[in-house]
Amino acid sequence: MLNAPSQSFPTPGSQQRVASGGRSKVPLKQGRSLMDWIRLTKSGKDLTGLKGRLIEVTEEELRKHNRKDDCWICIRGLVYNVSPYMEYHPGGEEELMRAAGSDGTDLFDQVHRWVNYESMLKECLVGRMAVKPVVPRDCREEKKILNGLVSRSQAADAPATEGPRPPSYDWFQTDSSVTIAIYTKQKDISLDSIIIDNQDDSFRAETIIQDYSYLIHIRLSHEVQEDVSARIVENVGKIEIVLKKKENTSWKCLGHPLENHNSFIPRKDVGLHYRECQLISKEDVTHDTKLFCLKLPPSSHLQTPVGQHVYLKLTVTGAEIVKPYTPVSDSLFSEFKEPVLPNKQYMYFLIKIYPAGLFTPELDHLQIGDFVPISSPEGNFKISKFQELEDLFLLAAGTGLTPMVTILNFALTRVRSLRKVKLMFFNKTEDDIIWRSQLEKLAFKDKRFDVEFVLSAPTSEWTGKQGHISPALLSEFLKRNLDESKVFICICGPTPFTEQGVRLLHDLNFSKDEIHSFTA
């Protein structure tokens, strides 16, 4: 709901994606861009109407402020006067008014909860809701030690009965290491389900189980070395996290619980967590697209699941701005080989630089060695869609190729039932085509894969297909391998491309379950 008020946050033509579904944007008046909003917040003008005072707001008081010229909204316990922001909101005034005088947290989360509203609306802060804060349950598992082993702790906040069973954990030690064992009760758990960060006296291990998050959050009782490792015990759903001790002493307890320790709650109720990643390299891929390589801290473990994305955060003219990007690999072909010792500490991003934007020029100006905060992964793509899949069709425009890279890799290496994968890649000119030679090489090497390039502004020498996404192009492209083949279609690109593509796919009688859109 509280989308960043700018053409460049994200840009109308951005191919970066946040979730399936999308939203409508409205034209902004002249002088109502993100930069204009930032200038207004720094002007010293009283945007709350309270002359700098912060107040406690009761539910009764909140309900009174429900008009366009007097609109208060609560997000996660904080109340903002969003009336000054109305004309700067790309989603339009009506979208903001849906939450007028009420708690807008759920509406905010439905669209894109990743927006840093605390920074964007800090000058509009009225105060806090007058409710008692929830005190995290103090799980004192360290009192129950038997030969270094703690009895299994049940998650403090179990989900409803229809959700997955809550995990549990314990720990054990040797002279040189400490192992934390998480019992997920899920047989199909994988390493991309666990996210580990050990920074600033805070050890944090988040396990993603379906749409729930299980968090271990502890201040460790002793110091450990920087590098951390995780492994899966297959078929039993156990995750083991190994920490190396700095000193070979016996620990009497694992540590002291921090906020939300041992909680098991829906992911939508969990805030985004960031870690500082170092820029290692950036190189040109096309005339306006670059490949950025960032290195995770040695004390972090993070692998982005297929079809999901992370958020990069920068401070631009005093305001924190975040944008979603899908990690790729250093080249298309590195996805299709299994190195003996894969280095999971590096993350690669294909990013188009928009000269008139706010975020990407700032990113491009970073020097090697600078740091960029990167969030934990998010997204609603489910690899279960690939079960018994026979025909996979990919429709991409520009850097909308990025989610297709991991999807392509997964399909060709892991889906045994697959007969054919076809990519239709839309660009303006030949110079805009990302990794063209690699895509052509893959099509030559793997006969299950075909790629077609479509240009909207080709030169006279171009002999391939041209135009924009259309019924004629799609009806020819989307031919099943067999009449009853199980098909799945992924589409990603600028919002107009994706929205039109989805409409055309429905017109061609493809069902909602056969389509997944990654939209800006």
Side-chain angles (χ1 to χ4, degrees), residues 3 9-10 14-23 110-115 307-311 322-326 377-381 492-493 495 516-520:
N3 185 21
F9 184 53
S14 169
Q15 286 93 41
Q16 307 309 328
R17 54 251 116 240
V18 296
S20 182
R23 71 191 187 285
Q110 287 172 16
V111 182
H112 36 222
R113 67 189 186 90
W114 49 272
V115 171
Q308 294 196 13
H309 52 268
V310 297
Y311 301 103
V322 294
K323 286 198 67 177
Y325 293 96
T326 300
E378 282 207 337
N380 58 5
F381 185 83
C492 184
T495 303
H516 185 91
S517 62
F518 302 86
T519 57

Short mmCIF file of all heavy atoms in Angstrom, two decimals, residues 3 9-10 14-23 110-115 307-311 322-326 377-381 492-493 495 516-520:
data_model
loop_
_atom_site.label_atom_id
_atom_site.label_comp_id
_atom_site.label_asym_id
_atom_site.label_seq_id
_atom_site.Cartn_x
_atom_site.Cartn_y
_atom_site.Cartn_z
N ASN A 3 3.57 2.43 -1.17
CA ASN A 3 4.65 2.25 -2.13
C ASN A 3 5.49 3.51 -2.19
O ASN A 3 5.01 4.61 -1.98
CB ASN A 3 4.05 1.97 -3.51
CG ASN A 3 5.12 1.65 -4.52
OD1 ASN A 3 6.22 1.28 -4.15
ND2 ASN A 3 4.78 1.80 -5.77
N PHE A 9 11.16 3.93 -8.15
CA PHE A 9 11.14 3.11 -6.94
C PHE A 9 9.91 2.23 -6.88
O PHE A 9 9.03 2.44 -6.08
CB PHE A 9 11.22 4.01 -5.73
CG PHE A 9 11.31 3.23 -4.43
CD1 PHE A 9 12.28 2.25 -4.27
CD2 PHE A 9 10.44 3.48 -3.40
CE1 PHE A 9 12.37 1.55 -3.09
CE2 PHE A 9 10.54 2.77 -2.22
CZ PHE A 9 11.50 1.82 -2.06
N PRO A 10 9.79 1.18 -7.73
CA PRO A 10 10.67 0.94 -8.85
C PRO A 10 10.23 1.73 -10.07
O PRO A 10 9.12 2.24 -10.11
CB PRO A 10 10.50 -0.56 -9.09
CG PRO A 10 9.10 -0.84 -8.65
CD PRO A 10 8.81 0.13 -7.52
N SER A 14 10.82 -1.09 -14.84
CA SER A 14 11.69 -2.01 -14.12
C SER A 14 11.29 -3.45 -14.37
O SER A 14 10.12 -3.80 -14.33
CB SER A 14 11.63 -1.72 -12.63
OG SER A 14 12.25 -2.74 -11.91
N GLN A 15 12.30 -4.29 -14.60
CA GLN A 15 12.01 -5.71 -14.77
C GLN A 15 12.23 -6.49 -13.49
O GLN A 15 12.25 -7.70 -13.50
CB GLN A 15 12.90 -6.30 -15.88
CG GLN A 15 12.46 -5.87 -17.27
CD GLN A 15 13.20 -4.64 -17.73
OE1 GLN A 15 14.37 -4.49 -17.52
NE2 GLN A 15 12.50 -3.73 -18.39
N GLN A 16 12.46 -5.79 -12.38
CA GLN A 16 12.65 -6.51 -11.13
C GLN A 16 11.28 -6.83 -10.55
O GLN A 16 10.33 -6.12 -10.69
CB GLN A 16 13.47 -5.66 -10.15
CG GLN A 16 14.77 -5.17 -10.74
CD GLN A 16 15.58 -6.28 -11.37
OE1 GLN A 16 15.53 -7.41 -10.91
NE2 GLN A 16 16.33 -5.98 -12.40
N ARG A 17 11.24 -7.94 -9.81
CA ARG A 17 9.93 -8.43 -9.40
C ARG A 17 9.85 -8.56 -7.90
O ARG A 17 10.85 -8.78 -7.23
CB ARG A 17 9.65 -9.78 -10.05
CG ARG A 17 10.67 -10.83 -9.83
CD ARG A 17 11.46 -11.14 -11.08
NE ARG A 17 12.83 -10.77 -10.85
CZ ARG A 17 13.47 -9.88 -11.56
NH1 ARG A 17 12.89 -9.30 -12.56
NH2 ARG A 17 14.70 -9.56 -11.31
N VAL A 18 8.64 -8.46 -7.41
CA VAL A 18 8.45 -8.62 -5.98
C VAL A 18 7.54 -9.79 -5.65
O VAL A 18 7.79 -10.53 -4.72
CB VAL A 18 7.90 -7.33 -5.34
CG1 VAL A 18 8.92 -6.23 -5.48
CG2 VAL A 18 6.60 -6.88 -5.95
N ALA A 19 6.47 -9.98 -6.35
CA ALA A 19 5.55 -11.07 -6.04
C ALA A 19 4.56 -11.20 -7.17
O ALA A 19 4.48 -10.35 -8.04
CB ALA A 19 4.81 -10.81 -4.73
N SER A 20 3.82 -12.28 -7.15
CA SER A 20 2.80 -12.46 -8.18
C SER A 20 1.61 -11.58 -7.87
O SER A 20 1.22 -11.40 -6.74
CB SER A 20 2.37 -13.92 -8.21
OG SER A 20 1.44 -14.14 -9.22
N GLY A 21 1.04 -11.01 -8.87
CA GLY A 21 -0.19 -10.25 -8.66
C GLY A 21 -0.13 -8.85 -9.18
O GLY A 21 -0.99 -8.41 -9.90
N GLY A 22 0.92 -8.10 -8.79
CA GLY A 22 1.06 -6.74 -9.30
C GLY A 22 0.08 -5.78 -8.65
O GLY A 22 -0.70 -6.10 -7.79
N ARG A 23 0.14 -4.54 -9.08
CA ARG A 23 -0.77 -3.53 -8.56
C ARG A 23 -0.93 -2.46 -9.63
O ARG A 23 -0.14 -2.36 -10.56
CB ARG A 23 -0.20 -2.90 -7.29
CG ARG A 23 0.98 -2.01 -7.57
CD ARG A 23 1.70 -1.60 -6.30
NE ARG A 23 2.73 -0.63 -6.60
CZ ARG A 23 3.88 -0.92 -7.15
NH1 ARG A 23 4.14 -2.15 -7.50
NH2 ARG A 23 4.78 0.01 -7.38
N GLN A 110 0.20 -7.14 1.88
CA GLN A 110 -0.33 -7.79 0.68
C GLN A 110 0.35 -7.27 -0.57
O GLN A 110 0.48 -8.00 -1.55
CB GLN A 110 -1.84 -7.56 0.58
CG GLN A 110 -2.66 -8.37 1.56
CD GLN A 110 -4.12 -7.96 1.54
OE1 GLN A 110 -4.59 -7.29 0.62
NE2 GLN A 110 -4.85 -8.34 2.58
N VAL A 111 0.75 -6.01 -0.58
CA VAL A 111 1.31 -5.41 -1.80
C VAL A 111 2.82 -5.56 -1.83
O VAL A 111 3.37 -6.23 -2.67
CB VAL A 111 0.88 -3.94 -1.93
CG1 VAL A 111 1.43 -3.34 -3.22
CG2 VAL A 111 -0.64 -3.84 -1.91
N HIS A 112 3.51 -4.92 -0.89
CA HIS A 112 4.96 -5.09 -0.79
C HIS A 112 5.45 -4.58 0.56
O HIS A 112 5.78 -3.41 0.72
CB HIS A 112 5.71 -4.40 -1.93
CG HIS A 112 5.10 -3.11 -2.38
ND1 HIS A 112 4.99 -2.76 -3.68
CD2 HIS A 112 4.54 -2.08 -1.68
CE1 HIS A 112 4.41 -1.58 -3.78
NE2 HIS A 112 4.15 -1.15 -2.58
N ARG A 113 5.51 -5.49 1.50
CA ARG A 113 5.90 -5.13 2.85
C ARG A 113 7.36 -4.74 2.95
O ARG A 113 7.82 -4.28 3.98
CB ARG A 113 5.60 -6.28 3.80
CG ARG A 113 6.45 -7.53 3.60
CD ARG A 113 5.90 -8.66 4.46
NE ARG A 113 6.75 -9.84 4.42
CZ ARG A 113 7.73 -10.06 5.27
NH1 ARG A 113 8.01 -9.16 6.18
NH2 ARG A 113 8.44 -11.15 5.20
N TRP A 114 8.12 -4.96 1.86
CA TRP A 114 9.55 -4.65 1.87
C TRP A 114 9.82 -3.15 1.85
O TRP A 114 10.93 -2.71 2.11
CB TRP A 114 10.22 -5.31 0.67
CG TRP A 114 9.52 -5.07 -0.63
CD1 TRP A 114 8.51 -5.81 -1.16
CD2 TRP A 114 9.74 -4.03 -1.57
NE1 TRP A 114 8.09 -5.31 -2.35
CE2 TRP A 114 8.83 -4.20 -2.63
CE3 TRP A 114 10.63 -2.96 -1.62
CZ2 TRP A 114 8.79 -3.34 -3.72
CZ3 TRP A 114 10.58 -2.10 -2.71
CH2 TRP A 114 9.67 -2.31 -3.74
N VAL A 115 8.82 -2.32 1.49
CA VAL A 115 9.04 -0.87 1.44
C VAL A 115 9.41 -0.37 2.84
O VAL A 115 8.77 -0.69 3.83
CB VAL A 115 7.77 -0.16 0.94
CG1 VAL A 115 7.91 1.35 1.10
CG2 VAL A 115 7.53 -0.50 -0.52
N GLY A 307 13.18 -19.10 -8.06
CA GLY A 307 12.06 -18.20 -8.30
C GLY A 307 11.84 -17.15 -7.24
O GLY A 307 10.87 -16.40 -7.32
N GLN A 308 12.74 -17.05 -6.25
CA GLN A 308 12.57 -16.03 -5.22
C GLN A 308 13.59 -14.90 -5.42
O GLN A 308 14.46 -14.98 -6.27
CB GLN A 308 12.70 -16.65 -3.82
CG GLN A 308 11.56 -17.62 -3.52
CD GLN A 308 11.45 -17.93 -2.04
OE1 GLN A 308 12.03 -17.28 -1.18
NE2 GLN A 308 10.66 -18.96 -1.72
N HIS A 309 13.45 -13.85 -4.63
CA HIS A 309 14.27 -12.66 -4.79
C HIS A 309 14.73 -12.17 -3.43
O HIS A 309 14.24 -12.62 -2.39
CB HIS A 309 13.46 -11.55 -5.49
CG HIS A 309 12.15 -11.29 -4.80
ND1 HIS A 309 10.98 -11.92 -5.16
CD2 HIS A 309 11.84 -10.50 -3.75
CE1 HIS A 309 10.00 -11.52 -4.36
NE2 HIS A 309 10.50 -10.65 -3.49
N VAL A 310 15.66 -11.23 -3.44
CA VAL A 310 16.09 -10.55 -2.22
C VAL A 310 15.95 -9.05 -2.47
O VAL A 310 15.65 -8.61 -3.59
CB VAL A 310 17.55 -10.90 -1.85
CG1 VAL A 310 17.68 -12.38 -1.54
CG2 VAL A 310 18.50 -10.48 -2.96
N TYR A 311 16.17 -8.25 -1.43
CA TYR A 311 16.10 -6.80 -1.56
C TYR A 311 17.46 -6.19 -1.28
O TYR A 311 18.14 -6.58 -0.32
CB TYR A 311 15.06 -6.22 -0.60
CG TYR A 311 13.68 -6.77 -0.84
CD1 TYR A 311 13.14 -7.74 0.00
CD2 TYR A 311 12.92 -6.34 -1.92
CE1 TYR A 311 11.88 -8.26 -0.23
CE2 TYR A 311 11.66 -6.85 -2.15
CZ TYR A 311 11.15 -7.81 -1.31
OH TYR A 311 9.91 -8.33 -1.54
N VAL A 322 14.80 0.60 -1.06
CA VAL A 322 15.04 -0.81 -1.31
C VAL A 322 14.44 -1.21 -2.64
O VAL A 322 13.41 -0.66 -3.07
CB VAL A 322 14.46 -1.70 -0.18
CG1 VAL A 322 15.17 -1.46 1.13
CG2 VAL A 322 12.97 -1.45 -0.01
N LYS A 323 15.09 -2.15 -3.32
CA LYS A 323 14.57 -2.68 -4.57
C LYS A 323 14.80 -4.18 -4.63
O LYS A 323 15.82 -4.67 -4.15
CB LYS A 323 15.23 -2.00 -5.78
CG LYS A 323 14.75 -0.58 -6.00
CD LYS A 323 15.08 -0.09 -7.41
CE LYS A 323 14.28 -0.85 -8.45
NZ LYS A 323 14.54 -0.36 -9.82
N PRO A 324 13.85 -4.90 -5.22
CA PRO A 324 13.98 -6.37 -5.29
C PRO A 324 14.76 -6.80 -6.53
O PRO A 324 14.58 -6.27 -7.63
CB PRO A 324 12.51 -6.82 -5.40
CG PRO A 324 11.82 -5.68 -6.10
CD PRO A 324 12.54 -4.42 -5.71
N TYR A 325 15.61 -7.79 -6.35
CA TYR A 325 16.38 -8.37 -7.45
C TYR A 325 16.48 -9.88 -7.26
O TYR A 325 16.56 -10.37 -6.13
CB TYR A 325 17.79 -7.78 -7.53
CG TYR A 325 17.81 -6.32 -7.93
CD1 TYR A 325 17.88 -5.32 -6.96
CD2 TYR A 325 17.74 -5.94 -9.27
CE1 TYR A 325 17.89 -3.97 -7.32
CE2 TYR A 325 17.74 -4.60 -9.63
CZ TYR A 325 17.82 -3.63 -8.65
OH TYR A 325 17.82 -2.31 -9.01
N THR A 326 16.49 -10.60 -8.37
CA THR A 326 16.65 -12.05 -8.33
C THR A 326 18.11 -12.41 -8.56
O THR A 326 18.67 -12.06 -9.59
CB THR A 326 15.79 -12.72 -9.42
OG1 THR A 326 14.41 -12.40 -9.20
CG2 THR A 326 15.95 -14.23 -9.37
N PRO A 377 15.67 -13.99 1.51
CA PRO A 377 14.83 -14.20 0.33
C PRO A 377 13.34 -14.12 0.63
O PRO A 377 12.90 -14.40 1.75
CB PRO A 377 15.21 -15.62 -0.12
CG PRO A 377 16.52 -15.90 0.53
CD PRO A 377 16.49 -15.17 1.83
N GLU A 378 12.60 -13.74 -0.40
CA GLU A 378 11.14 -13.75 -0.35
C GLU A 378 10.60 -14.18 -1.71
O GLU A 378 11.30 -14.15 -2.71
CB GLU A 378 10.60 -12.37 0.01
CG GLU A 378 10.69 -12.03 1.48
CD GLU A 378 9.61 -11.04 1.89
OE1 GLU A 378 9.10 -10.32 1.01
OE2 GLU A 378 9.28 -10.98 3.07
N GLY A 379 9.32 -14.51 -1.73
CA GLY A 379 8.67 -14.87 -2.98
C GLY A 379 7.66 -15.98 -2.76
O GLY A 379 7.73 -16.71 -1.77
N ASN A 380 6.73 -16.09 -3.69
CA ASN A 380 5.67 -17.10 -3.54
C ASN A 380 5.73 -18.18 -4.61
O ASN A 380 4.78 -18.91 -4.82
CB ASN A 380 4.29 -16.43 -3.56
CG ASN A 380 4.05 -15.64 -4.84
OD1 ASN A 380 4.87 -15.64 -5.76
ND2 ASN A 380 2.93 -14.95 -4.91
N PHE A 381 6.87 -18.28 -5.31
CA PHE A 381 7.01 -19.32 -6.33
C PHE A 381 7.18 -20.68 -5.65
O PHE A 381 7.97 -20.82 -4.71
CB PHE A 381 8.20 -19.03 -7.23
CG PHE A 381 8.35 -20.00 -8.37
CD1 PHE A 381 7.62 -19.82 -9.54
CD2 PHE A 381 9.20 -21.08 -8.28
CE1 PHE A 381 7.73 -20.71 -10.59
CE2 PHE A 381 9.33 -21.98 -9.33
CZ PHE A 381 8.59 -21.80 -10.49
N CYS A 492 7.89 -12.75 -17.01
CA CYS A 492 8.49 -11.68 -16.23
C CYS A 492 8.99 -10.57 -17.14
O CYS A 492 9.58 -10.83 -18.19
CB CYS A 492 9.67 -12.21 -15.40
SG CYS A 492 10.38 -10.95 -14.34
N GLY A 493 8.75 -9.34 -16.74
CA GLY A 493 9.20 -8.17 -17.49
C GLY A 493 8.58 -6.92 -16.91
O GLY A 493 8.04 -6.95 -15.80
N THR A 495 5.90 -4.10 -16.02
CA THR A 495 4.51 -4.34 -15.64
C THR A 495 3.55 -4.41 -16.83
O THR A 495 2.73 -5.34 -16.90
CB THR A 495 4.04 -3.26 -14.65
OG1 THR A 495 4.91 -3.27 -13.52
CG2 THR A 495 2.61 -3.50 -14.20
N HIS A 516 2.58 -18.46 -13.86
CA HIS A 516 3.15 -17.71 -12.73
C HIS A 516 3.79 -16.45 -13.28
O HIS A 516 4.65 -16.51 -14.16
CB HIS A 516 4.19 -18.52 -11.96
CG HIS A 516 4.67 -17.79 -10.74
ND1 HIS A 516 4.08 -17.95 -9.51
CD2 HIS A 516 5.66 -16.88 -10.57
CE1 HIS A 516 4.68 -17.18 -8.62
NE2 HIS A 516 5.65 -16.51 -9.25
N SER A 517 3.36 -15.31 -12.76
CA SER A 517 3.92 -14.04 -13.22
C SER A 517 4.79 -13.42 -12.15
O SER A 517 4.43 -13.39 -10.97
CB SER A 517 2.80 -13.07 -13.61
OG SER A 517 1.99 -12.77 -12.47
N PHE A 518 5.96 -12.95 -12.56
CA PHE A 518 6.83 -12.15 -11.71
C PHE A 518 6.65 -10.72 -12.19
O PHE A 518 7.00 -10.40 -13.34
CB PHE A 518 8.30 -12.56 -11.88
CG PHE A 518 8.58 -14.01 -11.58
CD1 PHE A 518 8.42 -14.97 -12.56
CD2 PHE A 518 9.03 -14.40 -10.33
CE1 PHE A 518 8.69 -16.30 -12.30
CE2 PHE A 518 9.30 -15.73 -10.06
CZ PHE A 518 9.14 -16.68 -11.05
N THR A 519 6.09 -9.86 -11.36
CA THR A 519 5.75 -8.52 -11.83
C THR A 519 6.47 -7.44 -11.06
O THR A 519 6.84 -7.62 -9.89
CB THR A 519 4.24 -8.28 -11.73
OG1 THR A 519 3.83 -8.47 -10.37
CG2 THR A 519 3.48 -9.22 -12.63
N ALA A 520 6.68 -6.30 -11.73
CA ALA A 520 7.34 -5.16 -11.08
C ALA A 520 6.39 -4.51 -10.10
O ALA A 520 5.18 -4.63 -10.20
CB ALA A 520 7.77 -4.16 -12.14
#
